[in-house]
Amino acid sequence: MHMADALLSPAVGMTLWAGTAAVGGYASKKLKERIDDRTIPLMGVLGAFIFASQMINFTIPGTGSSGHLGGGMILAIILGPHAAFLVMASVLTVQALFFADGGLLALGCNIWNLGFYPCYLVYPLLYKPLIGESQNPGRIVAVSLVSAVAVLQLGAFSVVLETLLSGKSELPFGAFLLLMQPIHLAIGIIEGFVTAAIINHVRSARPEILDGIAASRPLGAGISLKKVMITFVVLAVVTGGVLSWFASTHPNGLEWSIEKVTGKGELPEQEHGTAPVLKGIQEKTAFLPDYGFKPAGNEPKKEKMAPAWPGIEAGTSAAGIIGAAIVLGLILLIGVGIRSFRGRDA
Amino acid sequence: MSHHIIEFKDVFFRYPDGTEALRGINFRITHGESVGIVGANGSGKSTLLQHMNGCLLPTSGTVTIGDLPLTRKTRQEIRRKVGIIFQNPDDQLFMPTVFDDVAFGPLNLGMDEACVRERVHRALGMVHGLDLRDKPPHHLSGGQKSSVAIASVIAMEPDILALDEPAANLDPKSRRSLIAFLKTFTHSKMIASHDLDLILDVCERCIVIGDGSVVADGPSAKILSNRTLLEENNLELPLSLQRC
Amino acid sequence: MTFDAQYFDIGRLDRLSYRDTFVHHLDPRVKVIATMLFLFTVISFPKYEVVALVPFFLFPVLLMTLGEIPVRFILRKVLLVSPFAILIGVFNPFLDTGTVAIIAGIPISAGSLSFLSILLKFTLTISAALLLIATTSFPGVCHALRRLGLPSLFVSQLLFLYRYIFVLMEEAMRITRARDMRSFGTRGAGIKVFVRLIGTLFVRTVDRAERIYYAMLSRGFQGDIPSLRRARIAVTDLAYLTAMVMFLAVFRFYRVTEGIGCLAQGLLR
Ligand SMILES: Nc1ncnc2c1ncn2[C@@H]1O[C@H](COP(=O)(O)OP(=O)(O)O)[C@@H](O)[C@H]1O
Ligand SMILES: [Mg+2]
C-alpha cells in the first residue's frame, strides 16, 4: 500500500525523506566501496524486471482477486541489502513519476516502508539467520514466508503511523490498524510464497545465475548486525528528534491531532493575509465596510452553527466559496485562452 | 607490426555450464579484408565474435589482434581497436538517449567534449541518424536502432568492425542501407550472419563454422555457391544464386 | 488496468515528455525544484483548508496548456491512480461530524471539509507529479537529480531502469499474451503459471544484463558512466523559478481567494 502525498503533513514527509536519503547515501557508499562493474547494469535491469513483473497479475487461489509481486524481499535475497535498497528506491521513483503512485513527497515514506524494512531489517535480522547456507526449497519457502509477512506488517504499520502523525485522517489508531494489518498479512503470505517460488524456480532452472550474482555482489557474506542496529538506532533518534521539532513548531502536524482529541483545538488563525489588506482598502474607499457579515437569506442558521467551528466566520466562508468559484473560473479561462491562442497559431 | 590484423590459433572455449562452443578455431585475416562468418544456429558464431575483444577469453589457444595477444591485461587496449556490434540492438543501446549512447565510447576513451561531439556527429552522419540524436532508444524503429548501434561503435573509430547478425530484424529498405554503409567502411570487418546474400554482397571471403570449428574458408563466391557444403550446415544457397 | 493499457499509458506519458515546448525546454533542475516546492506548499495547508487550495490549480493548468499536454489524458491518469488517499480520507465525514457551515440548507461537517481538502490535495499533488514527468524527460529528471547531489551510482542505475522498462515490458507483454492465449478463463492465470512466467522473465533479464555488460565493455566501460550534459541555467529558468516561488508565497500566506470573494460580494451588493 503506497503512502500518499494528500495524507501527509510536511513534517512527516520531510522526516521520512531525510531518513530515506540517509539510508540511500549509506547504501551507495557501501556499494561503491566494493562494487563489481557488472552490478550496475544488473541492478538497473532487475529494477525494470520488478517493474514489468508487477504489471503481470495472477489469481490468488480461492479468492478470485489478483495479486502481484512487491519485490523488496526478492531483491534483497538476490542482490544483497545495499543494491536491493537502491533498486527498490528506483522502482518506487519510477512508479511515483509514471503512475503517480503515492506522489513525490510520499516517496520518502514509500522507499522507507517498502525498501528499508526488507533490505536493512528483515533480510539481515530474519532472513539471513534463518536460512543460513541452506538451499532446501522447503526451507526457502518457510523463511521467505516469515520474512515477507514481517516486511509487509512493518510497512503497513508505518503507513498507519505516518498517516496518523500527519493528522489529516480522522481514523482512530485502532480501527486503522485493524484495517491495514490483516490485509497486509494476506498480501505478505502471497508475497512470501511467490518470492520463494521464483527463487526455487530459478535455482532449479539455472542454478549458476544466483550463485554468480551472489559472488559478484559487494557484501556476499551478509552485513554486520551491530552496524545495522547502530545505524537504525541513530536514524530513529534523528527521526524522532526532527519529528518532534517539527511537531512543536507546526500547529498542523502531530499537535493538531492531539489538540483535536482534547477538544482544545483551534483552527489556525486566519486573520493575516490579504483579507485584512483588502479590508483596509475597502474601508478606505468606503466601498463595503461590512463585508465580513452574513449575506442575506439564511442568516439565522449561520448564526447558530458559527460557534461549532470557531476559526471561520460564516461571512468569510461564504466569501471563500464565491472566491473559489471565481478563481477556478479564472484558471479555466486562462487555460482555455492559452489553448485557443495556440490553436490559432498552429 | 604483423601483416595479419586478426589471428585465431587453436582457440577452444567452454562455457561455465560445460558447453564446448569453440573447438579449435584457426584463421587469419589481413588488413582491409572483409570476411563473412556463416554457420547454423548454435554453431559458435557469436561466441567467436565475443573473443575478438576479450568479452570472452579462450579456454586454450591464442587470439592476436594487430600485434597484441589477447589477455586479461591487453583487452582494454584491444577494445579500442575492435568494435563489436552485437546481435540485439536493445542490448547495445543501453544509454537513455541516442546522443548519450553514441558518446559513451568516445567519453570512455577520455576525449574532451568538443572531440566527443565531433565524433558523435560524424558517426551519426555516416548512418544517416543525425535527427535521432535526442531520442531515447525505445522510440526508434528496428532499423533505426541498428543504425544507431553501428554509429555507437564506429564513433570509437575502430580498426576492425565485427557485426553479429546485423540484418536479423531489418526490413528490406533498412537492410539495403546497411549493406550500402558496410560497403563504405573500408577497414577490416567480420560479419556473422545467416543472410548469405548480404555476405555475398559485402564480403569477398567467407568462413563456414560448424560445431565450433572451421568447416570451410575461401572466397565467398565459391563457398556460397557450394550447395552441398551449405546444406550440410543447415544453410541455403543465397537467393541471388538460386535462380541460375 | 490491464497490462496493455498500463504499457501504452507509460509509453504515451514518456512520449509527451519529448515534446518541444517552452515548458519542456526549461532546465530540469528548475522544474524538479519548482515541483517539490509546489507539493510542499500544497500539503502544508492545514487539514480543513479548502478554499485557499483552489488557486493552486493554476500551476497544473498552466503546465498543461503551455506544455501542450492533453488534459483528458492527465485527468484519466489522476482518476486511475491508486486510491489509497481517498480510501483513507473517505472515513473523515463519518468520524468528524461537527457542523461547520450550512450551504443552501445542507449542513457541512468538518469531516467532509477535511475530506474535500484531501481530495483537492490529492488531485494537485498527483497531477503535479505526472506533469513533471510529462514536461521533463525522465533522463532529464535523472540528470537533475545527479546535479542536485544524488549519488551517481543511484542515478546511473535509475537510468538503466528507465531504459530497460520498455524493453522488459514488451517482453513481459509477449509472455503474458502467450499465457492468456492458451489459458481459458482463470485457468492458467494462477499462481503456478505466474511463477514460471516470472521465473522465465527473470532468467532472461539476467542474461540480458550480461549481454549489456559485454556491450558496455566493448565500448571501453571501466566502471564509470560518463555523461556530457550541458546544463546552464538560463534567465528564463530563473524567471520561472522566481515566479513560482512568488506565486506559492502569495497564495500560501495571503488569503487571496476569500479576498476576491469579498470584493465580488461587495460589487454584487
Ligand atoms: N551464455 C552461455 N552459456 C552456456 N552456453 C552457451 C551460452 N551462450 C551460447 N552457448 C552455447 O554455445 C554454443 C554456441 O552458441 P553461439 O555462439 O551463440 O552460436 P551462434 O551464434 O552460431 O548461433 C551453443 O550450443 C549455445 O547453446
Ligand atoms: Mg548468434
Side-chain angles (χ1 to χ4, degrees), chain A residues 1-10 14 17 28 31-32 35 37-38 40-49 51-53 55-59 78 86-87 89-91 94 96-101 104-105 159 163 167-172 176 179-180 193-194 197-198 201-202 206 209-210 213 252 256 260 267-268 270 272-274 278 282 287-288 291 295 298 301-302 305 308-309 316 318-324 326-328 331 334-335 338-339 342, chain C residues 3 6-7 10 13-14 36 39-40 43-49 51 54-55 57-58 61-62 64-66 68-69 71 77 81-82 84-85 88 91-92 95-96 99-103 113 118 121-122 125-126 129-130 132-133 138 151-154 157-158 160-162 164-165 168-169 172 176 179 189-191 194-203 205-207 209-210 212-213 216 221-223 225 253-267:
Chain A
M1 202 67 89
H2 287 188
M3 185 64 196
D5 279 358
L7 295 176
L8 213 53
S9 74
M14 290 305 279
W17 254 123
S28 306
L31 205 54
K32 211 163 185 170
I35 196 164
D37 283 354
R38 66 181 71 214
I40 297 176
L42 180 68
M43 282 164 69
V45 182
L46 279 182
F49 160 79
F51 193 89
S53 71
M55 293 167 69
I56 307 177
N57 293 320
F58 57 86
T59 317
I78 292 169
L86 293 182
V87 174
S90 310
V91 171
V94 172
L97 285 169
F98 278 100
F99 289 143
D101 248 350
L104 294 178
L105 287 175
V159 169
T163 310
K168 307 254 150 120
S169 158
E170 293 291 339
L171 274 178
F176 201 173
L179 192 72
M180 293 287 283
F193 181 73
V194 170
I198 294 172
H201 175 90
V202 175
R206 292 277 296 276
I209 286 185
L210 295 177
I213 299 174
N252 50 313
W256 169 246
K260 191 90 190 58
L267 276 167
Q270 314 192 317
H272 52 65
T274 8
L278 287 174
Q282 283 174 331
F287 200 162
L288 215 210
Y291 77 89
N298 32 10
K301 286 176 211 151
K302 287 225 167 117
M305 46 108 257
W309 207 38
T316 344
I321 293 166
I322 296 173
I326 294 175
V327 169
L328 210 56
I331 292 176
I334 293 174
I338 295 177
R339 267 278 137 109
R342 296 232 152 188
Chain C
F3 191 113
Q6 287 192 44
Y7 174 70
I10 295 186
L13 193 57
D14 180 59
M36 291 312 273
L39 295 176
F40 195 78
I43 67 161
S44 75
F45 277 104
K47 92 192 236 197
Y48 293 109
E49 190 55 73
V51 165
V54 173
F57 279 93
L58 186 61
V61 166
L62 276 182
M64 264 189 277
T65 44
L66 293 176
E68 294 173 11
I69 308 296
V71 180
K77 279 198 71 101
V81 124
S82 99
F84 180 64
I88 298 307
F91 291 103
N92 282 6
L95 297 168
D96 190 6
T99 303
V100 289
I102 294 170
I103 296 169
L113 264 194
I118 288 179
K121 285 174 186 159
F122 174 80
T125 53
I126 297 297
L130 287 172
L132 173 66
I133 194 68
F138 192 84
S152 68
L153 179 75
F154 174 73
Q157 57 91 40
L158 193 56
F160 269 105
L161 170 57
Y162 167 75
Y164 284 98
I165 277 178
L168 285 193
M169 280 196 307
T176 34
R179 168 188 78 172
I191 211 162
F194 172 80
V195 165
R196 223 170 309 140
L197 221 133
I198 297 281
T200 311
L201 190 62
F202 176 80
V203 168
T205 305
V206 174
D207 286 345
E210 182 92 355
I212 295 167
Y213 177 61
M216 293 170 74
F221 175 64
Q222 284 162 39
I225 297 185
F253 296 113
Y254 297 93
R255 306 197 56 81
V256 179
T257 317
E258 271 164 15
I260 293 177
C262 293
L263 269 179
Q265 268 181 317
L267 287 173

Side-chain angles (χ1 to χ4, degrees), chain A residues 16 21 41 47 50 73 95 128 132 140 145 183 213 215 223 312 320 334:
Chain A
L16 277 132
I50 294 292
M73 208 49 224
Q95 279 175 344
K128 262 278 161 200
I140 291 180
L145 264 178
I183 300 176
I213 299 174
I223 52 180
I312 287 184
I334 293 174

Side-chain angles (χ1 to χ4, degrees), chain A residues 6 19 21 23 25 30 44 54 62 71 83 86 128 141 163-164 173 179 181-182 191 218 234 299 302:
Chain A
V23 179
K30 277 284 155 205
Q54 287 182 339
L86 293 182
K128 262 278 161 200
V141 172
T163 310
L164 288 181
F173 182 69
L179 192 72
Q181 305 303 121
E191 173 92 12
V234 168
E299 283 170 51
K302 287 225 167 117

